[in-house]
C-alpha cells in the first residue's frame, strides 16, 4: 500500500485440557473448556457451541500469529515490545515494512525517498525477533533491488550470522506498481508487467537458494475478488495471478496475499470475514491449477491484514473482535501465517466507538502520537487488536489441531482446537 504509516510461544496459566473452544459475539469474547469427545457443546447464555473433534481443519503452525514491523517505526525495537509479542503468542515478524520493502537496502539500512528511524537496522530487528521467540518473514527488495542484493542478504542472515531466516517474499504489492493504472509501489523496472515480475522471481529464487537451499521463497499475488484481481493491462495476455503462477509455480514455496476488506464498522467487518474462506479457497485452487503435484508443498501466507487500508476505527473493541475472527478464519482455511498490519503506526481520525475513544491508528500498540488535539496513551499501550491476537495466542500452541465447530446463533462465531495428546490441549 502507499507509503503512509500503515505502513517462542509460552503458556503461564498452567491450564491444559484435551479440547477447548473460543466463542465470540458482538464486542465480547468468551472462552470455555470442555471435555474431549467426538462432539461437545458449551452454552453461553442461550447459545450452544458444538465442536466436532474429528473434523480437522489443519495444524496451528509456529508462525500462525504474526505482526508487521517497519523501519520508519522508532519504537520497533523498544525493550518492552518483545515481551508483548511473546505474551500474545506472536510467532512471526515481517520486516522491513510493507511498501518500504521496495525502497529498502539492508546492507546500509537506507530507503531512498523514505524515512528510516534510528535503531531499526536488520540486526536490531533480529534482536527483537530472537527475544520474542518469533521467526522473521523478510521482504527482499524487488522495486529497486536486485537478485544479487537479495542473495547477499540471505548469505549475511543465514551463513554469516546464523539467524536461520526461512521465509523470504520477493517484493511487496507489486501489482500496485502502476501497471493497472494505480501506482503506490516503488518499481524502477522499465517493464512493470506481471511477466517481468515472474521472470525476476525466478532469478531471485535461483540466486537466494544457491546461497541457502533451505530458504522458502514467496511470490506476491492479489487476493481474489479484490482489486486488481482479473484486470488485464494493455498488451498482457492474462491477469496478475494467472500470469505469475503459470511461470513460477514450480520455483516458489509459498504465495503471499494481503487482505483489507475496507469496512467501516464492526458488523461490516465480521460480514466480510464470512467471504474470506471462499477467497482463500480460490487462491489454493489457482496454486493447484499451476503447480500440480508440487501444490502440496506451496503454502499460503496472509502477510498483511486489517479491517481497512485507509482511515477507520482501528483501536477499539470491534476491530479487536475482527482481528481474532479474521486471523483464526484464515488459519482454518489453509494459511500458515497471518500478519497484522502493524505493530506501531500513528493516530488518525479520532472517533468514539461504543463509548470508547478510537484513535484511528492501524497499529496494535500505541506510539503515543496525537491527532486533532487528542493524544494516544503511553507508547506500547496495547490496543484492542493486540488483545484479539492475544486471545488466540493464549489459547493455542503450535502443533494443536484446529477442528470444526458451530453455534446455534448466527451472530455468534466459534473456533476450536485439540492438542495432540490427552495431557496437552488448547483453543484458538
Amino acid at each position: 500500500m502507499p507509503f503512509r504509516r500503515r505502513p517462542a510461544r509460552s503458556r503461564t496459566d498452567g491450564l491444559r485440557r484435551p479440547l477447548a473452544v473460543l466463542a465470540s459475539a458482538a464486542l465480547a469474547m468468551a472462552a470455555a473448556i470442555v471435555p474431549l469427545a467426538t462432539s461437545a457443546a458449551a452454552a453461553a447464555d442461550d447459545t450452544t457451541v458444538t465442536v466436532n473433534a474429528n473434523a480437522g481443519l489443519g495444524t496451528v503452525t509456529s508462525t500462525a500469529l504474526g505482526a508487521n514491523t517497519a523501519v520508519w517505526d522508532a519504537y520497533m525495537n523498544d525493550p518492552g515490545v518483545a515481551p508483548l509479542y511473546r505474551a500474545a503468542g506472536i510467532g512471526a515478524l515481517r520486516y522491513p515494512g510493507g511498501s518500504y520493502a521496495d525502497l529498502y537496502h539492508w546492507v546500509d539500512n537506507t530507503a531512498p525517498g523514505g524515512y528510516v528511524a534510528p535503531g531499526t537496522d536488520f540486526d536490531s530487528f533480529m534482536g527483537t525477533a530472537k527475544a520474542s521467540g518469533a521467526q522473521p518473514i523478510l521482504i527482499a527488495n524487488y522495486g529497486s533491488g536486485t537478485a544479487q542484493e537479495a542473495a547477499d542478504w540471505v548469505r549475511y542472515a543465514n551463513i554469516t550470522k546464523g539467524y536461520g531466516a526461512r521465509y523470504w517474499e520477493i517484493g511487496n504489492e507489486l501489482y500496485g506498481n502502476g501497471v493497472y493504472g494505480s501506482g503506490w509501489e516503488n518499481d524502477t523496472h522499465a517493464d512493470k508487467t506481471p511477466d517481468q515480475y515472474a521472470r525476476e522471481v525466478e532469478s531471485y529464487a535461483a540466486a537466494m537458494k544457491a546461497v541457502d537451499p533451505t530458504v522458502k521463497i514467496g511470490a506476491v499475488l492479489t487476493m481474489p475478488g479484490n482489486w486488481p484481481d482479473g484486470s488485464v493491462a494493455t498488451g498482457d495476455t492474462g491477469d496478475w495471478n494467472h500470469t505469475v503462477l503459470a511461470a513460477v509455480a514450480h520455483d516458489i514455496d509459498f504465495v503471499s496475499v494481503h487482505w483489507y476488506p475496507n469496512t467501516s464498522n464492526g458488523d461490516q467487518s465480521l460480514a466480510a470475514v464470512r467471504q474470506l474462506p471462499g477467497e482463500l479457497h480460490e487462491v489454493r485452487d489457482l496454486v493447484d491449477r499451476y503447480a500440480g503435484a508440487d501444490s502440496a508443498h506451496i503454502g499460503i501466507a496472509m502477510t498483511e491484514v486489517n479491517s481497512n487500508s485507509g482511515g477507520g476505527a482501528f483501536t477499539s473493541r470491534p476491530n479487536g473482535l475482527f482481528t481474532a475472527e479474521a486471523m483464526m478464519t484464515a488459519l482454518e482455511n489453509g494459511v500458515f501465517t497471518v500478519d497484522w498490519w502493524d505493530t506501531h503506526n500513528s493516530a488518525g481520525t479520532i472517533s468514539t466507538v461504543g463509548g470508547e475513544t478510537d484513535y484511528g491508528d492501524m497499529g496494535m500498540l500505541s506510539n503515543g502520537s496525537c491527532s486533532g488535539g487528542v493524544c494516544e496513551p503511553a507508547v506500547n499501550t496495547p490496543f484492542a487488536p493486540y488483545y484479539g491476537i492475544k486471545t488466540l495466542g493464549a489459547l493455542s500452541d503450535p502443533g494443536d489441531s484446529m477442528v470444526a465447530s458451530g453455534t446455534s446463533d448466527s451472530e455468534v462465531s466459534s473456533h476450536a482446537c485439540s492438542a495432540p495428546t490427552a495431557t496437552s490441549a488448547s483453543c484458538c
Side-chain angles (χ1 to χ4, degrees):
M1 296 301 292
F3 298 149
R4 60 182 177 274
R5 293 191 174 179
R6 182 211 59 152
R9 298 167 180 262
S10 63
R11 293 182 61 94
T12 58
D13 55 18
L15 296 175
R16 309 294 297 173
R17 297 292 188 275
L19 180 68
V21 180
L22 171 70
S24 60
L27 303 180
M29 297 182 189
I33 297 176
V34 296
L36 178 62
T38 300
S39 64
D45 295 328
D46 58 352
T47 299
T48 299
V49 179
T50 303
V51 177
N52 184 349
N54 291 326
L57 300 176
T59 302
V60 179
T61 67
S62 61
T63 56
L65 305 177
N68 278 267
T69 65
V71 292
W72 41 255
D73 174 14
Y75 304 108
M76 182 175 78
N77 298 308
D78 272 9
V81 172
L84 286 167
Y85 284 146
R86 184 178 287 276
I90 288 174
L93 295 175
R94 186 172 181 250
Y95 175 93
S99 294
Y100 257 63
D102 287 307
L103 293 174
Y104 183 72
H105 300 285
W106 71 272
V107 72
D108 58 3
N109 193 41
T110 61
Y115 170 72
V116 175
T120 60
D121 59 273
F122 175 56
D123 286 315
S124 296
F125 160 77
M126 283 304 305
T128 297
K130 290 172 72 68
S132 66
Q135 297 185 48
I137 297 178
L138 303 175
I139 318 168
N141 183 344
Y142 174 90
S144 58
T146 65
Q148 185 60 55
E149 180 181 25
D152 290 343
W153 195 1
V154 172
R155 180 176 293 104
Y156 178 79
N158 292 352
I159 308 303
T160 303
K161 302 294 289 190
Y163 288 142
R166 186 180 185 189
Y167 299 104
W168 299 76
E169 294 178 71
I170 308 305
N172 187 54
E173 297 169 350
L174 272 307
Y175 46 80
N177 64 4
V179 68
Y180 300 113
S182 181
W184 63 84
E185 200 73 19
N186 182 51
D187 185 358
T188 59
H189 295 84
D191 185 347
K192 294 179 171 53
T193 64
D195 289 286
Q196 175 64 19
Y197 175 71
R199 285 189 290 269
E200 290 287 347
V201 167
E202 292 175 312
S203 177
Y204 274 67
M208 295 164 78
K209 290 194 173 191
V211 174
D212 181 355
T214 70
V215 298
K216 303 297 184 181
I217 303 299
V220 173
L221 298 185
T222 67
M223 179 65 96
N226 295 253
W227 187 94
D229 180 46
S231 299
V232 179
T234 301
D236 286 352
T237 58
D239 66 7
W240 184 275
N241 286 356
H242 288 83
T243 301
V244 170
L245 280 174
V248 308
H250 300 285
D251 301 288
I252 60 173
D253 303 286
F254 67 98
V255 295
S256 172
V257 294
H258 294 171
W259 192 59
Y260 295 91
N262 289 325
T263 56
S264 59
N265 59 53
D267 288 342
Q268 290 180 7
S269 294
L270 294 180
V273 174
R274 297 188 181 101
Q275 307 302 315
L276 184 57
E279 295 176 10
L280 289 172
H281 290 170
E282 187 170 341
V283 174
R284 175 51 63 189
D285 288 345
L286 282 167
V287 174
D288 289 345
R289 172 178 174 181
Y290 289 104
D294 289 338
S295 179
H297 306 293
I298 298 176
I300 301 174
M302 185 181 290
T303 53
E304 289 185 24
V305 62
N306 206 316
S307 59
N308 202 302
S309 60
F314 294 115
T315 67
S316 49
R317 284 172 290 174
N319 209 36
L321 182 60
F322 168 80
T323 305
E325 185 71 5
M327 294 180 79
M328 195 65 239
T329 298
L331 294 171
E332 290 173 340
N333 286 276
V335 172
F336 71 86
T337 184
V338 190
D339 308 323
W340 187 254
W341 185 272
D342 52 356
T343 299
H344 299 103
N345 214 289
S346 60
T349 301
I350 307 298
S351 62
T352 301
V353 178
E356 64 180 309
T357 299
D358 190 294
Y359 298 96
D361 188 326
M362 299 182 79
M364 63 182 182
L365 303 178
S366 169
N367 75 341
S369 57
C370 304
S371 177
V374 177
C375 295
E376 294 182 348
V379 172
N380 292 329
T381 298
F383 291 133
Y386 173 84
Y387 291 111
I389 297 172
K390 189 175 183 180
T391 298
L392 304 180
L395 296 173
S396 64
D397 286 326
D400 290 351
S401 297
M402 296 172 283
V403 295
S405 64
T407 76
S408 61
D409 187 333
S410 63
E411 295 188 2
V412 177
S413 65
S414 63
H415 305 279
C417 291
S418 65
T421 69
T423 59
S424 175
S426 55
C427 163
C428 312

